[in-house]
Amino acid sequence: MSATPLLLPFCCPCSAVIACARPSFDGTTSLAPPRSPSLSSALISPLPAVWPWDMVNAGPLKVSPMGFGTWAWGNKFLWGYENTMDESLQEAFNFAVQKGVNLFDTADSYGTGKLNGQSELLLGRFVEEFPECFEGCVGAGLCIKSSIMKRSTMYIASVGSAQLHYGSMIQYEICFLPSGSEWSQKQIIIASKFAAYPWRITAGQIVEACKASLKRLKMKQLGIGQLHWSTANYAPLQERVLWDGLVAMHKEGLVKAVGVSNYGPKQLLRIYDFLEKKGVPLISAQVQFSLLSMGTNQMTIKSICDNLGITLIAYSPLGLGMLTGKYSYSTLPNGPRSLLFKQIMPGIEPLLQSLGLTSRRRRKTMSQVALNWCLCKGVIPIPGVKNINQVKDNIGALGWRLSTDEISQLEYAAAQSPKSMVQNIFQTK
């Protein structure tokens, strides 16, 4: 039987996916690239956590259903950051991208003391250094380990066999032609936030803050430019300046889209109306959202976002680690978090017991159950990560769904817990 050329319509950053159909030894049809002795030792690594069709629309952007936060990157006070962690952080970043995650959240204020802006600096370096000849095809639907052979300006990765289950088993051997590091620059979505410092009193200063972030990130354009918090609670006159700055950076093409963080229901509606009149869509709103933070305010914000087509991004979806199962009243984290944990942990036993029960029944970790609850609520969680093991654990929340009964049980347990997460002091009404 002669081989028949076949073009596979994968929605991925590959310049092409070309294979040949031919019968395999088990009688099924396999798709295989032309054989090459130099490429015969290719191996398959685990499938990606995020397939192209899993991507979520956020305004003009397509983002993974889960992103990762980088608050800890450069923060010595709360998260114990040291420069020696950079290699581990880069390993975590590379693995996340190879698994299909493309949304990373940062801020110009992330990093303590002299390390202010360190999170953006690290992200910029990691994106720039993301390997062109990587072991895999980012976001293409298969993560692979293979020999790489350069042909002109393309890299051709020959893959061994993989088995995909769609009712019956079909064996595939696929040849990917990824476009390399240029893709990472275009497809990785960096969402950075600009602090409402009291000295930022003109729209031009907000624009300059955005330009400074771009310089640290080594990028020409941000995915999402966000206001880190509203000043409505304490400096209402500054609020309009912040909004004008957001419009200006969008008009100058410094950001693809704009968003806000820590805006309550009333301020969220106000800025939405303001931006709409300026012809600038508000595509995202960040809020503390988790099984520990699901009060009336959060649910009202979510309802507004759902009605207006705003993507809700959930920060601290694991309650600073309280929902991971790693800590208890007798096993506390180092640093200032221990004071907060001592205050809250004894009052969330019903929730922790329900999380533990669900995780054991599902054979998932407590973190995965807590994150999956966020996904089931239709929000994009952005848990913080500091190492590859945390990335692996968190992406285990993808690809499955809690049942309606399980969601109800978790929410009932949360409601029965006398304690909840302390709210951000900058959160407005």
Side-chain angles (χ1 to χ4, degrees):
M1 179 179 178
S2 61
T4 305
L6 178 66
L7 178 64
L8 300 178
F10 275 73
C11 300
C12 66
C14 306
S15 24
V17 183
I18 302 174
C20 294
R22 63 176 190 176
S24 61
F25 292 108
D26 62 1
T28 61
T29 299
S30 68
L31 299 175
R35 291 291 183 184
S36 169
S38 63
L39 301 176
S40 59
S41 60
L43 299 173
I44 293 289
S45 73
L47 296 176
V50 181
W51 296 79
W53 47 84
D54 293 327
M55 290 295 181
V56 177
N57 291 321
L61 308 173
K62 285 191 175 294
V63 300
S64 47
M66 178 189 295
F68 287 121
T70 62
W71 180 17
W73 299 13
N75 190 306
K76 284 190 173 184
F77 176 71
L78 193 64
W79 299 104
Y81 168 81
E82 297 292 344
N83 290 330
T84 54
M85 297 177 178
D86 290 356
E87 184 176 348
S88 178
L89 294 175
Q90 187 165 20
E91 182 183 32
F93 172 85
N94 287 347
F95 183 81
V97 176
Q98 289 176 2
K99 297 298 285 185
V101 175
N102 75 334
L103 176 64
F104 295 87
D105 181 74
T106 183
D108 64 357
S109 61
Y110 284 178
T112 51
K114 293 181 180 179
L115 291 172
N116 194 48
Q118 181 73 355
S119 173
E120 290 182 331
L121 287 169
L122 288 172
L123 266 177
R125 195 184 91 197
F126 297 166
V127 173
E128 183 182 51
E129 294 178 0
F130 189 74
E132 186 168 350
C133 294
F134 52 84
E135 291 184 341
C137 184
V138 182
L142 285 178
C143 284
I144 60 171
K145 291 182 178 180
S146 67
S147 303
I148 302 294
M149 177 174 64
K150 186 173 183 180
R151 290 185 183 175
S152 182
T153 59
M154 297 183 298
Y155 288 86
I156 301 177
S158 178
V159 187
S161 61
Q163 294 182 338
L164 305 179
H165 297 266
Y166 295 102
S168 59
M169 181 162 47
I170 303 175
Q171 184 178 9
Y172 287 96
E173 297 179 8
I174 303 171
C175 177
F176 289 108
L177 309 181
S179 57
S181 60
E182 180 184 355
W183 176 84
S184 66
Q185 285 278 357
K186 292 180 180 179
Q187 299 300 325
I188 293 175
I189 306 297
I190 304 298
S192 194
K193 302 182 290 293
F194 313 112
Y197 293 132
W199 56 84
R200 289 178 175 171
I201 56 175
T202 68
Q205 288 174 306
I206 307 302
V207 172
E208 288 305 311
C210 179
K211 290 180 179 178
S213 288
L214 287 171
K215 184 177 181 180
R216 286 188 289 270
L217 289 162
K218 301 179 182 180
M219 292 181 169
K220 296 179 180 179
Q221 188 181 47
L222 271 177
I224 311 174
Q226 309 161 99
L227 296 179
H228 204 156
W229 66 84
S230 165
T231 63
N233 288 346
Y234 61 92
L237 295 180
Q238 188 185 7
E239 186 83 339
R240 176 60 184 268
V241 169
L242 300 174
W243 296 2
D244 287 338
L246 207 59
V247 171
M249 68 178 68
H250 187 269
K251 297 292 187 184
E252 289 189 29
L254 301 176
V255 299
K256 292 180 181 177
V258 302
V260 293
S261 178
N262 296 308
Y263 270 60
K266 292 181 180 179
Q267 282 302 102
L268 182 60
L269 287 170
R270 289 185 183 121
I271 191 172
Y272 176 87
D273 290 339
F274 174 84
L275 292 174
E276 186 177 41
K277 291 175 182 176
K278 298 290 184 178
V280 178
L282 180 68
I283 73 139
S284 67
Q286 276 198 44
V287 67
Q288 185 174 210
F289 191 92
S290 71
L291 280 164
L292 272 180
S293 187
M294 45 173 276
T296 302
N297 213 36
Q298 280 78 16
M299 293 307 174
T300 302
I301 293 169
K302 183 183 181 302
S303 178
I304 291 171
C305 288
D306 290 344
N307 290 334
L308 297 179
I310 301 170
T311 299
L312 185 63
I313 299 175
Y315 72 78
S316 296
L318 297 175
L320 300 181
M322 276 185 264
L323 300 181
T324 63
K326 181 179 178 181
Y327 303 105
S328 67
Y329 188 75
S330 59
T331 308
L332 298 170
N334 297 324
R337 278 191 301 159
S338 64
L339 300 176
L340 182 65
F341 279 43
K342 282 182 180 180
Q343 176 188 349
I344 296 177
M345 291 289 285
I348 61 171
E349 273 304 312
L351 174 57
L352 294 179
Q353 289 176 8
S354 183
L355 273 173
L357 179 64
T358 305
S359 68
R360 290 189 294 272
R361 184 170 57 242
R362 282 281 187 164
R363 297 186 179 181
K364 301 291 182 180
T365 67
M366 286 174 63
S367 295
Q368 290 166 357
V369 173
L371 290 171
N372 193 269
W373 176 85
C374 290
L375 294 167
C376 289
K377 304 305 284 189
V379 306
I380 298 178
I382 49 169
V385 290
K386 294 191 292 183
N387 56 63
I388 194 171
N389 288 330
Q390 290 177 341
V391 175
K392 290 178 179 179
D393 185 29
N394 290 338
I395 62 178
L398 298 169
W400 58 282
R401 280 285 190 270
L402 290 164
S403 69
T404 302
D405 286 344
E406 288 171 326
I407 292 171
S408 296
Q409 290 166 7
L410 289 168
E411 292 178 358
Y412 177 80
Q416 293 301 304
S417 298
K419 290 286 188 179
S420 60
M421 179 57 72
V422 174
Q423 297 304 297
N424 193 309
I425 60 172
F426 291 112
Q427 181 74 40
T428 61
K429 295 181 179 179

